[in-house]
């Protein structure tokens, strides 16, 4: 699954596995025969399931999972006789259904359980649910779809809803004849139901052994486009389809092409063919995550699958391609071989993240995805993992309520970064051979992290687990401190400690020694050193510049002494940037300087002085990281009128000349990354107050809202919307711009990604009460904004100095209503809390927030809450620590 959101205790996994909330092991499911009849008018469905069971221990009780289901009948068939359940009990705390029988089931026997049940097609984007859309007449219609990961198959039918309890499935759907019904496998029969033309019965082929969370079915008025893979590495062409609501299928062409190429590429690099007869991908209007890897039937949020070549922004071309590749990676890594329990979620998500980008780099090498990964994805992982409230990659999960909170940057992005480290260490060929062995050894089964390390170790002839265990089982990562070793000018002293963004590491928290590849870059060479102790010395040529972590291949930050940092900054002054010629290295310097100024190892003044050396920088990824750091610095010091103008000037000096050079129109045959660079330059210059950009923004925006959509390319619209709102001079002007953007959001002639861009902009930079109130009211307006999108307001409003206090007050005043709306949406409440609090810097506000949440049940979003509060305290501490230095800096400008 691709999450859009991406414990306090560093628990040793082996110590608490007995606390897992799991089912009894008296019986084991072997095969399900599931029959469902959904009604898209009443939003009810009827169902029955036959489950073939192997009895592992004598018992007269069967316990399985069920949630929000009504059980009409339960019986077992054994010895050619049926036996009704004498007692049916639900445990709502554990989602367990207990069926008691007079007849004892004997160890070694096989029985069949039959359950007849009813359920509701809910509107919570989980289980078997309904999704709404506007039909050709403008009326609201519905389709039915599923989202079972992590533990919501039990909301659709009674089952053994744990990843290690794999079984085969036969699915039958009874649906209206005019609708398309899809499931994991291909259709084996499609016949009228009961002699009527109104309903039909659709039966599907038997699935391979699979976990319940990967089962899926979708019913709706879909159209599709299709193609076939070459079959070169799969041994046969794979039928591949993209299903959409009517009129949208051509927007699936990009995803279809990526999918067909990716299916063959993965069969090649894994040396294992795709095991199913077909692959369907479906765009769903209401969808909580980004996408879900259901085996053979992958479901997507609309913006994660559809891309209009003429009307969509380029960033969506890249994101849809990656999302498709990520989900297709799961068809092998997660579906064919599944984690044995949620502790090992990262095996699914970390690997799918890495190999998804691996495929995209193969298909679109011009996108430079590994530079992107190192400067964006890995930085996101480092930022979250620098918090005391982070968690290990292998995190103990006991209760289902905990699972959705680990679909975060640690499981996905730190996991992928660790995979990238291993790949770099072992070499790609050896690594992929090890992956083949791992998949082949555990195909159709389950595995844990040690199984992956074992396969890689056997292949490479190296002890991979010795290198990797600290990276996966411990919270955090090291900061590497580097200085000359006393008076010895050709030797450096390198030390490691755990990095904390708070800058207040206690002795009892610094008990991990990481195995750290240093990869020291010097002029003309790479020193392949490894730090294995808390402190070691290494030889370096005298008086030469050098940089650790060449190409940002490994997961740590580097803190150079003042003299050594000066050497690196001097490299930036060279026309070719010297040893920092690789843009990934330059971006790494920017990131480390910016982040370490937050925790106190460096200072914001040092960062700003270094930033001025990037006036001639042209690389998108370097400037993007510089923009990220400028954004934080600008938001932190926004309340200080004597500081902010000087911060804006630095941004203008760097980005305004570039915006002028690039212009507003794309050049024929220019690299696609230039589109991103143009957007970045115009956005940064405009938000920093560049008069030329603001004038052009106003001119083009007015033409655009008056109907001339050619005046503003899809790529530039987000930047223009935000600049327009930020630069509004009066309440009337701000309201007019806001209303124009809201109309764009509601205009169905725009692709969905363009509607979302308009929605995301609404809270950005607004200052006046009337506009703020309208934006806040949309958070709870279910008629105008889908639940999956409503949390986006919190980030825009929380990062805006003028709206931060109002959104906090609104959240507290409407907590029950907001929680009720978001409670079944995986991560939405956590995203909302994180966006609202992360930029707070006032100690009194932090204290008040802690008091408010102390009265709430926060177990569903505790990780996000604790991380956000931690960041807020970092903000407050940084202002207290640096205020006088920043005021002095501003006074010299």
């Amino acid at each position: 699954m691709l999450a859009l959101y991406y414990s306090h205790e560093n628990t040793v996994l082996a110590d608490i596995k007995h606390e897992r909330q799991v089912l009894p092991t008296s019986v084991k499911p072997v095969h399900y025969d599931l029959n469902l009849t959904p009604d898209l008018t009443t939003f009810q469905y009827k169902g029955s399931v036959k489950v073939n069971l192997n009895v592992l221990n004598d018992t007269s009780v069967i316990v399985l999972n069920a949630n929000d289901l009504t059980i009409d009948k339960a019986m077992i068939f054994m010895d050619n006789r049926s036996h009704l359940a004498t007692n049916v009990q639900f445990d709502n705390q554990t989602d367990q259904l207990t069926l008691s029988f007079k007849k004892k089931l004997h160890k070694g026997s096989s029985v069949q359980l039959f359950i007849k049940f009813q359920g509701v097609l809910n509107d919570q984007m989980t289980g078997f649910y309904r999704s709404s859309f506007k039909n050709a007449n403008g009326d609201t219609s519905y389709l039915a779809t599923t989202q079972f990961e992590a533990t919501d198959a039990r909301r659709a039918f009674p089952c053994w809803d744990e990843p290690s309890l794999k079984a085969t499935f036969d699915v039958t759907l009874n649906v209206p004849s005019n609708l398309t019904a899809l499931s994991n496998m291909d259709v084996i029969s499609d016949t009228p139901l009961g002699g009527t033309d109104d309903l039909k019965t659709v039966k599907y082929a038997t699935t391979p052994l699979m976990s319940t969370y990967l089962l899926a079915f979708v019913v709706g008025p879909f159209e599709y486009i299709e193609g076939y893979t070459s079959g070169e590495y799969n041994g046969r062409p794979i039928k591949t389809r993209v299903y959409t609501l009517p009129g949208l299928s051509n927007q699936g062409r990009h995803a279809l092409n990526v999918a067909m190429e990716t299916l063959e590429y993965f069969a090649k690099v894994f040396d294992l063919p795709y095991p199913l007869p077909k692959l369907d991908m479906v765009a769903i209007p209401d969808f909580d995550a980004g996408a879900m890897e259901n085996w053979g039937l992958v479901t997507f949020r609309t913006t994660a699958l559809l891309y209009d070549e003429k009307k969509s922004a380029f960033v969506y071309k890249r994101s849809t391609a990656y999302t498709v590749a990520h989900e297709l990676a799961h068809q092998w890594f997660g579906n064919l071989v599944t984690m044995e329990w949620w502790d090992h979620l990262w095996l699914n998500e970390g690997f799918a993240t890495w190999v998804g980008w691996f495929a995209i780099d193969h298909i679109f090498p011009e996108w430079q995805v590994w530079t992107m990964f190192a400067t964006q994805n890995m930085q996101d992982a480092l930022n979250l993992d620098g918090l005391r409230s982070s968690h290990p990659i292998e995190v103990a999960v006991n209760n289902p309520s905990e699972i959705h909170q680990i679909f975060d940057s640690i499981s996905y992005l730190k996991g992928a970064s660790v995979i990238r480290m291993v790949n770099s260490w072992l070499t790609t060929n050896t690594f992929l051979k090890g992956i083949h062995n791992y998949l082949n050894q555990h195909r159709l089964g389950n595995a844990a992290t040690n199984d992956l390390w074992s396969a890689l170790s056997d292949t490479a002839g190296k002890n991979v687990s010795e290198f990797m265990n600290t990276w996966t089982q411990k919270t955090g990562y090291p900061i590497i401190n580097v200085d000359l070793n006393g008076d010895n000018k050709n030797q450096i002293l390198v030390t490691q400690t755990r990095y904390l963004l708070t800058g207040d590491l206690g002795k009892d928290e610094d008990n991990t020694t990481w195995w750290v590849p240093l990869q020291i870059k010097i002029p003309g060479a790479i020193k392949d050193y490894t730090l294995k102790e808390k402190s070691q010395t290494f030889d370096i040529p005298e008086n030469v510049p050098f940089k650790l972590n060449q190409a940002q291949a490994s997961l740590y930050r580097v803190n150079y002494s003042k003299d050594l940092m000066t050497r690196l900054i001097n490299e930036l002054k060279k026309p070719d940037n010297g040893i920092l010629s690789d843009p990934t290295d330059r971006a790494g310097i920017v990131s480390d300087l910016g982040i370490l100024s937050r925790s106190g190892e460096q200072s914001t003044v040092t960062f700003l002085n270094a930033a001025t050396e990037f006036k001639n920088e042209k690389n998108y990824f370097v400037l993007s990281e510089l923009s990220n750091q400028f954004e934080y610095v600008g938001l932190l010091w926004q309340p200080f009128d004597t500081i902010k103008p000087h911060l804006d000037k630095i941004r203008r000096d760097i980005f305004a000349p570039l915006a002028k050079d690039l212009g507003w129109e794309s050049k024929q045959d220019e690299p696609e990354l230039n589109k991103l660079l143009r957007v970045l330059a115009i956005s940064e210059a405009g938000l920093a107050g560049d008069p030329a950009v603001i004038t052009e923004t106003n001119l083009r925006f007015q033409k655009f809202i008056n109907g001339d959509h050619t005046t503003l390319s899809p790529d530039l619209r987000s930047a223009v919307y935000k600049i327009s709102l930020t630069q509004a001079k009066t309440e009337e002007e701000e309201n007019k711009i806001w209303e124009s953007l809201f109309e764009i959001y509601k205009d169905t002639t725009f692709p969905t990604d363009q509607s979302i861009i308009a929605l995301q902009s609404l809270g950005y930079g607004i200052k006046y009460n009337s506009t703020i109130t309208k934006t806040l009211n949309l958070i709870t307006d279910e008629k105008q904004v889908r639940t999956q999108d409503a949390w986006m307001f919190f980030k825009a409003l929380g990062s805006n100095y003028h709206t931060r206090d109002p959104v906090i007050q609104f959240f507290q005043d409407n907590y029950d209503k907001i929680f009720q709306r978001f409670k079944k949406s995986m991560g939405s409440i956590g995203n909302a809390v994180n966006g609202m609090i992360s930029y707070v810097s006032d100690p009194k506000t932090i204290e008040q927030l802690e008091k408010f949440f102390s009265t709430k049940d926060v177990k569903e979003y505790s990780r996000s809450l604790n991380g956000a509060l931690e960041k807020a305290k970092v903000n407050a501490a940084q202002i207290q620590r640096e205020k006088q230095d920043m005021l002095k800096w501003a006074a010299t400008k």
Side-chain angles (χ1 to χ4, degrees), residues 200-224:
K200 62 182 178 182
T201 296
V202 186
K203 294 185 178 182
Y204 305 88
T206 304
T207 71
L209 278 171
M210 57 187 276
S211 303
T212 49
Y213 79 87
L214 295 169
L215 191 67
F217 17 93
V218 181
V219 180
F222 297 109
E223 63 182 32
Y224 68 86

Side-chain angles (χ1 to χ4, degrees), residues 63-335:
V63 183
L64 65 163
N65 295 118
N67 186 7
D68 288 344
L69 297 174
T70 300
I71 305 301
D72 295 325
K73 180 186 291 187
M75 64 177 69
I76 54 171
F77 293 92
M78 54 187 296
D79 301 329
N80 297 317
R81 296 185 64 184
S82 62
H83 305 271
L84 281 171
T86 57
N87 192 21
V88 177
Q89 289 188 330
F90 281 101
D91 183 336
N92 293 326
Q93 296 298 313
T94 61
D95 295 341
Q96 291 183 359
L97 168 65
T98 300
L99 306 175
S100 301
F101 299 91
K102 287 184 178 180
K103 183 73 173 179
K104 180 171 285 190
L105 285 61
H106 295 288
K107 179 179 179 179
S109 65
S110 296
V111 301
Q112 186 180 79
L113 172 68
F114 173 81
I115 302 177
K116 187 178 179 182
F117 60 94
Q118 299 179 49
V120 176
L121 293 172
N122 68 76
D123 60 355
Q124 300 295 325
M125 296 183 290
T126 186
F128 195 16
Y129 72 93
R130 66 184 186 268
S131 175
S132 67
F133 62 94
K134 298 291 185 182
N135 62 24
N137 298 322
D139 299 324
T140 300
S141 294
Y142 295 90
L143 59 87
T145 186
T146 57
Q147 172 59 47
F148 290 165
E149 191 176 24
T151 58
D152 285 310
R154 65 190 66 176
R155 289 171 61 92
F157 65 101
C159 59
W160 280 256
D161 201 12
E162 295 174 9
S164 63
L165 296 176
K166 290 190 169 186
T168 56
F169 293 82
D170 285 331
V171 175
T172 301
L173 299 177
N174 307 297
V175 300
S177 300
N178 63 325
L179 299 182
T180 298
L182 305 171
S183 191
N184 304 78
M185 298 296 288
D186 49 329
V187 174
I188 57 174
S189 69
D190 185 334
T191 57
L193 177 62
T196 173
D197 292 333
D198 295 334
L199 294 175
K200 62 182 178 182
T201 296
V202 186
K203 294 185 178 182
Y204 305 88
T206 304
T207 71
L209 278 171
M210 57 187 276
S211 303
T212 49
Y213 79 87
L214 295 169
L215 191 67
F217 17 93
V218 181
V219 180
F222 297 109
E223 63 182 32
Y224 68 86
I225 54 174
E226 74 174 10
Y228 286 81
T229 70
S230 68
E232 180 180 1
Y233 297 101
N234 278 299
R236 70 195 193 287
I238 306 298
K239 182 173 69 176
T240 309
R241 289 180 174 178
V242 173
Y243 284 85
T244 72
L245 291 172
L248 299 176
S249 58
N250 280 334
Q251 295 181 32
R253 185 68 58 185
H254 172 58
L256 178 65
N257 292 336
V258 170
M260 290 188 295
E261 190 159 356
T262 301
L263 280 173
E264 291 297 328
Y265 185 63
F266 283 157
K268 175 185 177 181
V269 298
F270 298 150
D271 193 21
L272 285 171
Y274 176 70
L276 270 61
K278 56 89 175 177
L279 175 76
D280 294 330
M281 300 183 291
V282 190
I284 304 296
D286 295 285
F287 199 84
D288 188 34
M292 178 61 210
E293 65 268 20
N294 315 300
W295 214 356
L297 179 61
V298 185
T299 47
F300 295 78
R301 182 180 287 219
T302 302
T303 52
L305 183 65
L306 303 188
Y307 172 78
D308 189 313
E309 291 284 352
K310 295 181 179 179
K311 296 181 179 180
S312 294
F314 168 70
V315 290
Y316 284 91
K317 183 176 185 179
R318 186 176 67 178
S319 65
T320 53
Y322 165 68
T323 305
V324 168
H326 179 106
E327 301 308 325
L328 266 55
H330 279 309
Q331 306 301 300
W332 285 264
F333 220 97
N335 299 7

Side-chain angles (χ1 to χ4, degrees), residues 674-821:
N674 271 28
K675 296 179 181 179
L676 298 180
L677 184 60
R678 178 178 293 106
V679 172
L680 179 66
I682 289 174
S683 177
E684 283 294 301
L687 293 173
D690 180 68
V693 170
I694 292 171
T695 298
E696 190 68 16
T697 292
N698 292 337
L699 178 65
R700 289 176 180 263
F701 183 68
Q702 287 304 316
K703 289 182 178 179
F704 181 78
I705 62 176
N706 287 330
D708 183 5
H709 294 169
T710 63
T711 193
L712 204 54
S713 75
D715 296 302
L716 284 168
R717 290 171 191 170
S718 177
V720 165
Y721 298 163
K722 292 177 180 179
I723 294 170
S724 298
L725 278 173
T726 301
Q727 298 298 328
K729 302 302 182 186
T730 67
E731 185 168 7
E732 182 181 3
E733 181 185 2
E734 184 174 275
N735 266 290
K736 186 176 180 180
I737 294 169
W738 192 98
E739 290 292 348
S740 297
L741 295 179
F742 193 49
E743 287 303 313
I744 293 170
Y745 164 68
K746 293 187 292 184
D747 188 342
T748 57
T749 64
F750 286 102
T752 305
D753 66 278
Q754 292 298 301
S755 298
I756 295 301
I757 284 172
L759 186 73
Q760 290 172 328
S761 303
L762 289 178
Y764 198 95
I766 58 178
K767 301 174 284 295
Y768 297 101
N769 287 336
S770 58
T771 323
I772 294 171
T773 299
K774 286 191 295 186
T775 308
L776 290 171
N777 288 337
L778 289 178
I779 292 172
T780 54
D781 189 341
E782 297 190 28
K783 293 183 178 179
Q784 299 201 79
V785 179
R786 294 182 188 271
T787 297
Q788 68 192 35
D789 300 324
W791 67 266
M792 297 176 184
F793 293 114
F794 287 96
K795 182 177 181 180
L797 296 169
S799 63
N800 180 348
Y801 174 66
H802 301 285
T803 57
R804 192 173 301 145
D805 289 342
V807 73
I808 290 173
Q809 190 63 54
F810 182 86
F811 180 87
Q812 294 178 346
D813 292 344
N814 297 274
Y815 178 82
D816 291 341
K817 189 174 183 179
I818 292 170
F819 184 81
Q820 186 66 28
R821 183 175 191 187

Side-chain angles (χ1 to χ4, degrees), residues 479-586:
I479 176 174
I480 306 301
N481 297 287
V482 189
D483 200 352
L484 293 174
N485 188 25
D487 295 331
N488 192 337
K489 295 184 179 181
N490 62 359
Q491 196 175 70
I492 56 173
L493 177 65
V494 182
T495 61
Q496 62 165 294
T497 59
R498 179 185 171 188
Y499 176 73
L500 282 179
L501 187 65
T502 52
D504 59 349
L505 184 71
K507 289 184 178 180
D508 60 334
E509 296 177 295
D510 190 25
N511 50 20
T512 301
T513 301
W514 282 272
W515 194 97
V516 184
L518 295 181
Q519 290 285 295
I520 303 176
K521 187 175 185 179
I522 63 174
I526 303 291
K527 295 285 187 179
D528 192 13
Y529 293 137
T530 301
L531 178 66
K532 299 181 180 180
E533 307 293 338
K534 278 291 187 182
S535 180
Q536 290 177 246
T537 58
F538 300 93
D539 293 334
I540 290 291
E542 186 174 343
N543 293 325
V544 302
F546 61 89
K547 180 191 176 292
L548 276 66
N549 201 12
Q550 189 267 334
Q552 302 300 107
S554 298
L555 200 71
Y556 57 88
R557 297 200 183 278
V558 184
N559 180 37
Y560 298 93
S561 67
K562 183 177 180 180
D563 290 343
L564 297 180
M565 178 56 71
T566 299
R567 294 187 194 181
L568 286 171
I569 292 175
N570 287 337
E571 292 296 286
L572 294 172
K573 299 177 181 179
K574 297 178 180 179
D576 64 352
N577 293 302
I579 65 164
L580 299 177
S581 58
D582 185 336
T584 314
D585 286 323
R586 298 199 298 282

Side-chain angles (χ1 to χ4, degrees), residues 346 351 354 393 414-432 434-435 449 452-453 455-457 460 462-465 467-469 471-472 515 517 553-555:
W346 87 277
F351 185 83
W354 178 83
I393 289 177
K414 185 180 180 183
S417 298
V418 165
I419 291 291
R420 182 168 170 257
M421 286 172 61
V422 180
N423 175 71
S424 177
W425 176 42
L426 299 181
T427 73
T428 298
N429 285 339
T430 300
F431 177 74
L432 290 175
I435 292 300
T449 300
L452 176 61
W453 298 156
L456 291 172
S457 296
K462 298 179 180 180
N463 190 341
V464 175
S465 62
F467 167 47
M468 294 309 303
N469 280 344
W471 290 101
T472 62
W515 194 97
S554 298
L555 200 71

